[in-house]
Every structure is written in C-alpha cells, then in structure tokens.
Amino acid sequence: MIKTLTITERQLETWSHQGAIQTSATTYESIKNCIGKANWNDDVYYDIYLQGSYKNSTNIYGNSDVDIVVQFNSIYSYSTEKLNETEKSYFKRDFEKAKYTLQSFKKAVIKRLKLCYGDDSVVVNDKSILVKGNGSSRLDADVVVCNPYRKYTSYSVNGNKNYIEGIVFETETTNQRVINFPKVHYDNGVIKNSQIKTLGNFKKIVRIFKNLKATMVSHGQIGKKVAPSYFVECLVYNARNNHFKKYSYSPIIVDIINQFASDILSGEIHNYVVQNEQRKLFGSGDQQWSVDNATIFVTQLVKLWKKSGFNIQA
C-alpha cells in the first residue's frame, strides 16, 4: 500500500527528468512524411506539429502515445464576440467563404494514413485518429485534424487585426465543436519555465507531479481518471512563481502543495486557469476539471508527503 512509499530528494531528481523523446520524434516524422506524400491540390495548405506532453517537454517515462496536430490552413473559423459593432462590420466586409471543408480534408487524411499503415492500424475515434504503433520504432499516435481558430480582439478599417490563435474541430459522434489553444499553451509554458520566472524549474516540477500522480495510481491511492495529466500540468501552472525559486525539489513541492491545499479551503482555486489562459481550469465543461477530483488529488498528495516526513501545513 501507499504507506510503504517514501519520497526522497533522489527520487524527485529522477522524476524531474524528461522521458524518452527519440521514438516520439520518429513517430512524428513517419506520420508527417505519410501525409506529405499525398497528391494535394496547390491551394491546400496545412501544418503538422506535435502537441501535448512531448511538444511541451513535460513527458515522463511511461508516456506511450504521441499527440499530433494536422492543421488545415486553407480555411479558418473565428469568434468576433470581443469586437465592437464597427469592427464586426469591417470583418464582414473582408470575409470570404472557404472553398474547402474540414470534413473533406479529414477524409483525405484518413485515406492517406490507411494507405501508409493499413486499415487495421488506423482507428477513427471521437476526437482524434489513432494510428497504432509498430511495437518498436513507432509509438501509438493520436492525430487531431483541425483548422485554425481566430479569437479576434481587434479589427481596423484598413484590415489590421489582432487575434488569439487556436484550433477547432468537431467530434465524430455528436458534431460538438472543440476549441483549444495548443500554441498559446506552449508559449505560456516556455515563459513560466524561464530563468526569471521559475529558474527553469517549472517543467521539471510538472514532470515530478505527473510521476507523483502515476505512483499514487499504481499504489491504489487515487483512480486513473481523477487527475488527467493535462489538468495536472495546468494545476502546477497556477503555482506562484516564487515557490519554484529554490535549488532543491523537496521545498518546492512542499510549498506548492501547501498553496493548493490553502486555495481549496479559501475557494481561491476556483480562479485557477488552464495553461493557455483562455478558460477556467475548473467547471462543468468537457475541457475542465472538477474541484472534487482536484481536492482528492491534493488531499492524497498531502497524506503522501506527511508520511514521507515533510512539513506539510495542510
């Protein structure tokens, strides 16, 4: 049981290291090359890039799948909610309907993937396309086919515009629109990880918390679905920067856990945001975490660290 587990500084040092990245790079290149060999029309533009833990350098040993975005740039979706009526009129003046649809592009991508890897190795799931690994050089990959999403913040008479760049796609079963901001998530993580913000400790601490989560799951302390890795990363993003400015991991972890426990009691945790800062971390949405599950996660962290002899105030 969990009482047999003791957390040491040496263990934290091990957990701070990034997991293997070579196989993920090979997987990404394989899928990129596969899609690139298709006979696309000259006006079909797309980007392929990593997202998730491998992209953000927060992957740990044992991460088994790679998240890949195929972004169809020949079209875009948008929100003009933040624009005033005059700005909206300028946008409508300049807007042109797209020639293609995301659905047709996705069908072409699926067809191409099946040609490369075989029908049995390509599974179309609700939000992504699973490309099964080969057990050696290529990992399982979740491929998200999407198009750009522009959250406009200004639009001028001469066409100058500002927007927050995201991605959008629809689920297979319910045609529910899913909007995310992976590039903003990545950029915010880089800033948080900088020397001036956290002495380069942010991503190391995220990896430690992910390993703590995995360890607690394996010891039966929490269920597998209580603390998804994405939400754990976002939770740590909300830890105050001064907590990270120490030169050993134990006091950093203790201070962060104490903050989370205190913020749960005070209700401050309801103000936490996801790493892209475009929505609250907690709520009832599909891309939000429940405070109840976060409380379970933090409570079990407190118990674990107290058993290891650390001064947790909660």
Side-chain angles (χ1 to χ4, degrees):
M1 296 298 290
I2 196 69
K3 65 181 181 181
T4 64
L5 179 65
T6 301
I7 306 298
T8 64
E9 185 67 25
R10 183 174 181 180
Q11 180 65 73
L12 296 177
E13 170 65 33
T14 299
W15 282 345
S16 73
H17 296 161
Q18 189 176 356
I21 59 173
Q22 183 56 52
T23 314
S24 67
T26 302
T27 302
Y28 166 71
E29 288 298 329
S30 175
I31 290 175
K32 181 179 179 180
N33 290 336
C34 166
I35 294 173
K37 289 178 181 177
N39 187 26
W40 300 109
N41 292 341
D42 290 342
D43 56 352
V44 170
Y45 305 103
Y46 66 89
D47 287 330
I48 301 180
Y49 55 90
L50 285 169
Q51 70 168 344
S53 61
Y54 285 99
K55 170 64 175 178
N56 292 286
S57 303
T58 57
N59 60 300
I60 62 175
Y61 290 102
N63 278 155
S64 58
D65 59 343
V66 181
D67 297 313
I68 297 174
V69 173
V70 182
Q71 180 175 303
F72 184 37
N73 292 328
S74 297
I75 62 174
Y76 69 89
S77 304
Y78 60 88
S79 169
T80 58
E81 289 182 5
K82 299 294 184 181
L83 302 183
N84 60 40
E85 292 306 313
T86 301
E87 289 174 314
K88 287 178 182 178
S89 69
Y90 299 149
F91 172 80
K92 290 178 182 178
R93 176 199 64 191
D94 296 338
F95 182 75
E96 296 180 4
K97 288 187 177 181
K99 176 181 177 181
Y100 297 105
T101 66
L102 182 61
Q103 289 78 9
S104 62
F105 178 71
K106 184 176 180 179
K107 286 180 181 178
V109 169
I110 293 169
K111 181 179 180 180
R112 184 63 203 166
L113 291 172
K114 287 182 175 181
L115 284 172
C116 292
Y117 304 110
D119 287 1
D120 292 341
S121 293
V122 179
V123 180
V124 180
N125 293 320
D126 193 36
K127 293 182 179 180
S128 62
I129 304 162
L130 170 64
V131 179
K132 297 178 182 177
N134 59 10
S136 55
S137 62
R138 184 166 48 79
L139 299 170
D140 286 355
D142 286 322
V143 179
V144 173
V145 180
C146 62
N147 60 258
Y149 177 80
R150 299 177 180 181
K151 187 176 179 180
Y152 283 99
T153 56
S154 67
Y155 205 105
S156 68
V157 63
N158 58 7
N160 291 332
K161 49 193 172 288
N162 290 296
Y163 56 84
I164 300 167
E165 182 181 0
I167 62 173
V168 63
F169 62 91
E170 289 186 349
T171 60
E172 283 287 318
T173 54
T174 61
N175 299 119
Q176 179 183 355
R177 195 164 75 150
V178 178
I179 299 169
N180 213 334
F181 299 85
K183 292 181 179 179
V184 182
H185 178 105
Y186 172 79
D187 290 342
N188 286 350
V190 170
I191 294 169
K192 180 89 171 180
N193 197 57
S194 65
Q195 282 292 119
I196 192 169
K197 295 286 187 181
T198 62
L199 297 181
N201 282 326
F202 168 62
K203 294 189 178 186
K204 295 176 182 178
I205 298 302
V206 168
R207 294 193 287 264
I208 289 174
F209 268 88
K210 286 185 177 183
N211 275 294
L212 282 165
K213 188 273 303 251
T215 300
M216 290 193 295
V217 169
S218 68
H219 282 74
Q221 190 179 10
I222 62 172
K224 289 182 179 180
K225 296 182 179 180
V226 166
S229 292
Y230 171 76
F231 292 144
V232 171
E233 183 165 339
C234 291
L235 183 69
V236 178
Y237 181 76
N238 286 272
R240 291 188 286 273
N241 290 343
N242 62 295
H243 294 329
F244 296 86
K245 294 184 176 181
K246 301 176 179 67
Y247 292 94
S248 58
Y249 297 121
S250 299
I252 295 175
I253 300 297
V254 168
D255 283 354
I256 290 174
I257 293 175
N258 278 329
Q259 177 194 324
F260 294 157
S262 174
D263 287 350
I264 288 171
L265 288 175
S266 69
E268 178 62 27
I269 198 168
H270 291 279
N271 294 320
Y272 284 15
V273 294
V274 296
Q275 191 166 310
N276 60 48
E277 299 188 5
Q278 299 305 305
R279 66 175 64 91
K280 293 289 184 69
L281 175 55
F282 298 105
S284 59
D286 290 340
Q287 298 182 71
Q288 291 178 300
W289 200 8
S290 77
V291 172
D292 287 346
N293 279 344
T295 300
I296 291 170
F297 178 58
V298 172
T299 299
Q300 296 305 319
L301 279 172
V302 168
K303 290 180 179 179
L304 173 58
W305 279 75
K306 281 184 175 178
K307 287 181 185 232
S308 295
F310 290 95
N311 181 27
I312 297 289
Q313 297 169 7

